[in-house]
Amino acid sequence: MSAFMLPKGMFTLRGQCNEKDRHLLLNFKHTLVDPSTILSDWTRERDCCEWAGVRCDNTTGRVVELSLPCSPESSPPDGCDDEKSHCLTGDLNLSLLQLEFLNYLDLSNNDFQAIVQKGSEDVTNCDNMPFVHHPHSCENSSNLHYLDLSENENLYIDNIHWLSRVSSLKYLSLGGIDLQKEIDWLQLATLLPSLTELHLDGCSLRNINPSLPFVNFTSLEVLDLPFNAFSTQFLPHWLFNLSDLTVVDLRYNHFQGQLPKSLLNLRNIKELLLTDNKLSGLIPGWLGQLEYLQVLGFAGNMFCGPIPSTLGNLSSLIVLDVRSNYLNDSVPESLGQLLKLELLSLGDNHLTGHLTDRIFANLSNLEYLSMGSPGLIFDFHSLWVPPFQLEELILTNMTGPKLPPWIYTQTSLISLEIGSSRISFEPKDKFWGFATQLAKLELHDNWVKGDMSNVLLDNRWIILDSNKFESGLPRLSPNVVLFSASDSSFQGSLSPLLCQKMNGNSQLRYIDLSNNSLSGELTDCWMKWKSLVIVKLSNNNLTGTIPPSLSFLSNLTILQLDKNVLFGKIPFSLKNCQNLQILDLEENKLSGSIPNWIGHNVKVLLLRSNQLSGTIPLRICQLFSLTILDLADNKISGSIPTCLHNMTAMAFPPSSITRMPSFCFTALSDTLVFVDSVMLHAKGQGLIYKKHLQLVRAIDLSSNNMSGTIPPGLFSLNQLQFLNLSHNQFEGNIPREIGGLKQLESLDLASNRLSGEIPPSLAQLTFLGTLNLSFNNFSGKIPSGTQLQGFDPQCYAGNSELCGAPLQKNCTDQQDMEPIEGNNSQGDEFLPSFYIGLGVGFATAFWGVNVAIFFNRNVRHSYFRFLYYIRDELYVTMVLRMNCFRR
């Protein structure tokens, strides 16, 4: 199947391709990398109207559409982000905009790196184009109505001024492209007078000109700006003058303040999404006047007070989402008038009073319901049967003795979430039997007791995190895809779960049993779970060796067995796990040497706090994707391999190659993303990195028996942020190349045998926030500059020959006069020779004059006559001056 999706209606034409259009398309192809050879038929021997993704006008033969979006269908089922290795990459050539009859351009979801205009000089110079027959052939497209470059996450765009060349645009989407350097995006967008839809979601935009009263969006209907970095004291004034707007999406920004009444100017508004901002104050009652409103999303803000009863007047409302605010008072019964309501989310507020079935009596279209607050009492009649059949139900902060009985009437339910509740699930057989029909079951932060060891779970998605089961693990059917039960007080062995008999092959891809009290061995039944992609068993009491059967998990990308009591060698059989990207075995009792078979896909290698010995294998240098290496607190000896500069992932900015593995599960319309987290020991403490793990670059070799010098090539890894070589036996100087680590935030070289002066280039590391050079043999003056003088003196303790701020020991004058590195030592010998020569010359002249006066009579008489003459002259001058003073 092709890696690209061509739009419906795409067909091959037999017309003659326009020569200029062919030339421009080939310019576009020339700067691309095409790993899937989707453009293999783009040759001069074939009519360009027959090329993949190209559609021409049937009459003129001019190119009118180019559609090459990369299909997500080639992505692995576990990947959250589309895997882009099959997509177009390289440079995006803007010469495409000179296709003057082009009206549709879709290059979304590819992996373009930069925007260029290579080859366009050949096109814009009409004199060099023999096929040009009229003066307007070199103009930009005046017909382009649709432009979609979204989801090219690695595309570098520092400005969008080129948009002025396509003023006919009606639809523009640049979602997912980093545009933070473009501060004039709003003014540039207003140069598109026909624009009806503007999609700039997730573009890292910051400037929205909130005080600007008016912008020239005369035709704009859809304004899509979620997931940016806007942070203002109020919503932008100009927004409320765009009376034709039907959709406003400002979710996940940092807007503050209250809702202005000028919002009523958006009389045609159908969707208003302000989820996850910092808006505050009351939800105003006048919102009930927006008669066309269908979607109202205020979740994740700081609204307080009651839910306005006037919201019941919004007869067209389909979605009402006010969860995660500070709303109080009772739920108004007027919400029961919203007959078209399909989604109602009230949870995680401070609502009080009784929630009865009267509010829901007429809501027959309801499909999604979220409710629950600590002061809200569920007061449903025991025999009540709702008029709706829910697909998703979220109940939180329940304190009743049992679940509301009406839940068991929901035969269409796909997802059930119960959190932060003290409620009984008895009778157990009834609840777990009902739960079997669900695709998603999530019980979190509850006080749930009872033996789970005899329960068979058949849901595809099961989350039982942060409960108090205090029992053995449940059994899983082959249908389970995700099972997460961390921090839930599970006890006993893994064997009943992993070694159970199953009818059919397991589909389990994700298992997380970390932070429990599991004991015993890892068991050797992993061959039954070949579909596993992520295994997390951290922080238990598991013992024994790592079993060979783990090698059957050929799809494994994350293996976390840290903080257990495992011993023995790291088995060679793990070599079969060629897709492994995160291997975390730290804080066990593993022995032997560091494996030299580690797969080239590994990005995070954590072997800290074991009993590993031997040297660092040269194989480490071949891990081109490695971004985090932690071998601290072992018994490793030998020197640092000089080839570490080959770990190129630490030398280049983050890209799709260094993206961390994650797990996605889609149910209904939602996709839940599990992003892995690891603990890194940086800046003198243990820090958990999750969301930004793929941005971290770290090497920690501390607390070993390593020796030798620090190779300068280590400092070519210029994206390195954390470097710890402390508590070893390294010798020699700090290479001056350390100044190349411009991103370095933490440097620890303490307790080694390093000597010489601290290189001045260290003072140039502007991001350096943690430094420890203590207990070495450094000497000389600490290089000047606020960077190194700003650290605590303890950072330099144990170096008796160091001087200068921030130490109290001042450098002597002689030290101040010592040559800096690179000066010629001959200059140091000049001053003593100069002073000796000066003394000898003075003595020679003095005695030469005296000898001449003593032995030569004529000279002697002339000399004394000269002295008498000088005496007489001085006397006359003095008398004259005294007479002047008397007058």
Side-chain angles (χ1 to χ4, degrees):
M1 182 174 180
S2 172
F4 289 81
M5 299 171 59
L6 302 184
K8 295 181 179 179
M10 185 68 69
F11 55 91
T12 299
L13 298 174
R14 296 183 179 179
Q16 179 65 38
C17 174
N18 178 271
E19 189 62 26
K20 178 192 173 184
D21 291 355
R22 179 200 301 273
H23 183 79
L24 290 168
L25 290 173
L26 289 176
N27 276 343
F28 165 69
K29 178 186 177 182
H30 181 70
T31 59
L32 295 180
V33 178
D34 182 14
S36 296
T37 63
I38 189 66
L39 305 183
S40 60
D41 61 351
W42 283 37
T43 63
R44 294 188 178 277
E45 291 74 26
R46 189 171 183 180
D47 194 302
C48 75
C49 294
E50 298 178 357
W51 292 353
V54 177
R55 188 167 75 87
C56 297
D57 184 271
N58 197 27
T59 303
T60 64
R62 302 304 298 265
V63 174
V64 294
E65 290 189 13
L66 178 59
S67 182
L68 293 170
C70 188
S71 168
E73 295 179 2
S74 299
S75 302
D78 327 301
C80 298
D81 299 310
D82 293 344
E83 202 275 321
K84 297 290 186 75
S85 63
H86 60 286
C87 299
L88 294 175
T89 185
D91 295 335
L92 173 57
N93 198 334
L94 282 184
S95 63
L96 284 177
L97 300 183
Q98 295 171 20
L99 294 166
E100 64 254 45
F101 291 94
L102 187 71
N103 60 56
Y104 185 99
L105 178 58
D106 185 357
L107 301 174
S108 60
N109 200 42
N110 280 288
D111 195 24
F112 294 115
Q113 306 296 313
I115 283 184
V116 298
Q117 300 189 53
K118 294 179 181 178
S120 60
E121 65 277 2
D122 300 329
V123 177
T124 54
N125 187 354
C126 295
D127 295 334
N128 295 330
M129 298 177 62
F131 47 82
V132 174
H133 300 294
H134 54 83
H136 301 293
S137 296
C138 293
E139 295 180 356
N140 295 312
S141 173
S142 59
N143 294 309
L144 191 61
H145 296 157
Y146 186 101
L147 176 59
D148 190 350
L149 302 180
S150 63
E151 305 309 320
N152 281 278
E153 297 90 353
N154 296 314
L155 180 58
Y156 175 77
I157 299 181
D158 57 355
N159 71 76
I160 54 174
H161 290 77
W162 48 269
L163 283 175
S164 60
R165 297 160 55 182
V166 283
S167 58
S168 57
L169 277 180
K170 295 181 179 179
Y171 179 99
L172 173 62
S173 179
L174 302 177
I177 299 175
D178 190 344
L179 299 176
Q180 62 177 312
K181 291 189 176 181
E182 181 52 270
I183 61 175
D184 296 325
W185 68 270
L186 183 60
Q187 291 84 343
L188 292 169
T190 59
L191 299 178
L192 307 174
S194 302
L195 199 64
T196 58
E197 292 194 31
L198 178 60
H199 299 270
L200 297 177
D201 49 300
C203 292
S204 301
L205 297 171
R206 299 179 182 275
N207 180 30
I208 199 170
N209 294 322
S211 302
L212 199 65
F214 179 80
V215 293
N216 191 28
F217 282 130
T218 55
S219 304
L220 198 64
E221 297 178 3
V222 175
L223 182 62
D224 185 22
L225 299 174
F227 298 98
N228 280 291
F230 302 127
S231 181
T232 67
Q233 296 296 322
F234 48 83
L235 293 171
H237 291 313
W238 54 262
L239 174 66
F240 307 111
N241 292 318
L242 306 179
S243 58
D244 290 331
L245 280 178
T246 59
V247 176
V248 174
D249 189 348
L250 299 176
R251 293 172 298 152
Y252 298 95
N253 281 288
H254 306 285
F255 291 114
Q256 304 174 39
Q258 302 182 10
L259 293 178
K261 195 167 184 178
S262 53
L263 184 60
L264 291 177
N265 295 340
L266 307 182
R267 56 184 180 274
N268 295 316
I269 191 76
K270 294 181 179 179
E271 297 184 19
L272 179 60
L273 294 169
L274 298 172
T275 302
D276 281 293
N277 279 282
K278 298 180 180 180
L279 299 170
S280 58
L282 301 175
I283 296 179
W286 45 257
L287 282 176
Q289 301 177 37
L290 297 174
E291 56 181 320
Y292 299 112
L293 201 60
Q294 298 177 0
V295 177
L296 181 58
F298 287 164
N301 281 283
M302 304 169 66
F303 290 115
C304 58
I307 299 174
S309 59
T310 55
L311 295 186
N313 299 330
L314 299 174
S315 58
S316 299
L317 204 62
I318 298 174
V319 173
L320 176 59
D321 186 359
V322 294
R323 72 185 186 280
S324 301
N325 280 283
Y326 298 93
L327 301 174
N328 53 33
D329 212 337
S330 59
V331 179
E333 291 190 6
S334 61
L335 297 186
Q337 302 171 19
L338 303 175
L339 304 183
K340 295 182 179 180
L341 206 61
E342 297 177 5
L343 183 151
L344 177 60
S345 184
L346 308 173
D348 193 19
N349 278 288
H350 297 162
L351 299 171
T352 58
H354 290 250
L355 193 63
T356 68
D357 47 80
R358 285 195 304 174
I359 295 178
F360 303 96
N362 297 315
L363 303 183
S364 58
N365 292 309
L366 206 60
E367 297 177 356
Y368 178 104
L369 177 60
S370 170
M371 56 185 181
S373 292
L376 190 64
I377 299 173
F378 292 174
D379 190 10
F380 299 100
H381 194 279
S382 59
L383 300 179
W384 178 62
V385 178
F388 49 76
Q389 281 293 322
L390 298 175
E391 294 184 355
E392 294 194 54
L393 174 62
I394 300 176
L395 301 174
T396 57
N397 299 108
M398 290 188 296
T399 56
K402 295 181 180 180
L403 285 175
W406 62 265
I407 292 178
Y408 296 107
T409 69
Q410 299 301 295
T411 58
S412 299
L413 200 63
I414 297 175
S415 173
L416 173 63
E417 177 183 342
I418 300 175
S420 304
S421 297
R422 285 178 171 266
I423 196 167
S424 172
F425 291 96
E426 301 296 338
K428 183 172 62 176
D429 294 342
K430 183 177 182 180
F431 174 77
W432 292 113
F434 168 76
T436 301
Q437 67 173 312
L438 308 174
K440 296 167 51 180
L441 175 64
E442 184 170 355
L443 308 177
H444 62 87
D445 298 286
N446 297 297
W447 193 274
V448 180
K449 288 193 174 183
D451 188 5
M452 291 285 292
S453 58
N454 294 321
V455 173
L456 176 65
L457 300 177
D458 192 38
N459 316 85
R460 286 180 58 79
W461 180 356
I462 303 167
I463 298 178
L464 304 178
D465 296 337
S466 303
N467 291 291
K468 301 293 181 183
F469 286 109
E470 297 180 354
S471 71
L473 292 167
R475 291 176 295 123
L476 304 179
S477 82
N479 298 322
V480 179
V481 175
L482 179 147
F483 180 49
S484 182
S486 65
D487 196 22
S488 284
S489 303
F490 280 114
Q491 304 171 358
S493 172
L494 283 169
S495 296
L497 170 62
L498 296 178
C499 300
Q500 62 177 303
K501 292 183 179 181
M502 289 188 298
N503 296 322
N505 296 324
S506 169
Q507 300 181 43
L508 190 66
R509 295 192 181 97
Y510 182 105
I511 185 169
D512 184 357
L513 298 175
S514 56
N515 302 310
N516 281 289
S517 299
L518 300 173
S519 57
E521 297 187 351
L522 279 173
T523 74
D524 204 16
C525 299
W526 293 94
M527 70 284 293
K528 297 184 177 183
W529 308 88
K530 295 180 181 179
S531 56
L532 275 169
V533 175
I534 297 177
V535 174
K536 304 176 71 173
L537 300 174
S538 307
N539 199 21
N540 281 283
N541 296 313
L542 298 170
T543 187
T545 60
I546 299 176
S549 61
L550 275 172
S551 63
F552 286 90
L553 309 183
S554 59
N555 297 318
L556 196 64
T557 61
I558 297 176
L559 177 60
Q560 292 184 327
L561 303 177
D562 54 297
K563 301 176 183 65
N564 282 287
V565 200
L566 302 174
F567 55 81
K569 297 182 178 180
I570 301 174
F572 179 80
S573 57
L574 284 180
K575 181 180 180 180
N576 295 329
C577 302
Q578 287 295 310
N579 293 314
L580 201 60
Q581 297 184 36
I582 296 180
L583 178 60
D584 188 352
L585 302 177
E586 65 180 22
E587 296 189 40
N588 280 285
K589 296 184 178 180
L590 298 171
S591 58
S593 59
I594 300 171
N596 61 3
W597 45 257
I598 298 174
H600 65 277
N601 288 317
V602 170
K603 298 176 180 177
V604 177
L605 181 59
L606 305 176
L607 302 178
R608 182 188 191 91
S609 300
N610 280 285
Q611 299 173 16
L612 300 173
S613 58
T615 61
I616 297 178
L618 297 181
R619 170 68 178 173
I620 290 288
C621 300
Q622 300 176 26
L623 303 183
F624 306 122
S625 299
L626 194 66
T627 58
I628 299 174
L629 175 64
D630 190 346
L631 305 177
D633 194 18
N634 279 285
K635 300 177 181 179
I636 300 170
S637 58
S639 60
I640 300 175
T642 58
C643 58
L644 283 188
H645 63 274
N646 291 328
M647 297 190 300
T648 52
M650 297 193 193
F652 295 100
S655 65
S656 58
I657 297 176
T658 58
R659 185 175 299 157
M660 290 298 168
S662 51
F663 181 89
C664 290
F665 186 91
T666 302
L668 299 177
S669 59
D670 294 330
T671 298
L672 183 64
V673 180
F674 287 80
V675 180
D676 195 47
S677 62
V678 298
M679 175 177 284
L680 300 180
H681 295 263
K683 300 183 179 181
Q685 56 185 325
L687 302 173
I688 295 179
Y689 286 83
K690 184 174 182 178
K691 182 178 179 181
H692 300 294
L693 181 60
Q694 69 181 30
L695 304 178
V696 178
R697 305 289 181 268
I699 294 178
D700 193 341
L701 306 178
S702 62
S703 301
N704 281 288
N705 298 318
M706 300 187 69
S707 58
T709 59
I710 302 176
L714 177 63
F715 303 121
S716 66
L717 306 178
N718 53 36
Q719 295 296 309
L720 204 60
Q721 297 160 293
F722 308 106
L723 177 61
N724 192 343
L725 305 178
S726 64
H727 298 277
N728 281 285
Q729 301 174 35
F730 292 120
E731 300 175 341
N733 298 338
I734 301 177
R736 60 184 179 183
E737 288 85 355
I738 195 171
L741 301 183
K742 300 299 184 182
Q743 306 298 321
L744 199 64
E745 299 177 19
S746 176
L747 175 64
D748 193 345
L749 302 177
S751 299
N752 279 286
R753 299 175 181 175
L754 298 170
S755 58
E757 296 185 350
I758 299 174
S761 59
L762 191 61
Q764 302 170 9
L765 304 181
T766 55
F767 290 109
L768 195 62
T770 302
L771 176 67
N772 193 351
L773 302 179
S774 61
F775 299 100
N776 281 283
N777 299 314
F778 293 121
S779 60
K781 183 179 181 181
I782 296 174
S784 300
T786 57
Q787 192 66 16
L788 297 184
Q789 274 67 51
F791 291 109
D792 190 283
Q794 291 300 316
C795 299
Y796 305 101
N799 294 280
S800 58
E801 300 299 319
L802 270 183
C803 62
L807 299 177
Q808 293 183 353
K809 180 180 180 181
N810 294 323
C811 298
T812 63
D813 293 340
Q814 183 176 357
Q815 287 173 321
D816 288 338
M817 292 169 56
E818 288 180 354
I820 61 174
E821 181 181 357
N823 278 2
N824 194 324
S825 60
Q826 293 178 355
D828 299 336
E829 302 171 3
F830 173 77
L831 287 178
S833 301
F834 174 79
Y835 291 130
I836 292 173
L838 185 65
V840 172
F842 176 81
T844 301
F846 176 80
W847 287 109
V849 171
N850 286 335
V851 168
I853 295 173
F854 184 78
F855 289 104
N856 192 312
R857 182 177 180 181
N858 293 331
V859 171
R860 184 167 61 247
H861 290 171
S862 299
Y863 178 72
F864 285 111
R865 281 198 301 269
F866 173 75
L867 291 178
Y868 290 142
Y869 173 78
I870 294 297
R871 182 196 64 180
D872 295 337
E873 286 292 321
L874 288 174
Y875 177 78
V876 172
T877 301
M878 184 179 294
V879 170
L880 291 175
R881 288 188 176 277
M882 292 297 293
N883 291 332
C884 290
F885 281 120
R886 288 192 185 100
R887 293 174 186 173

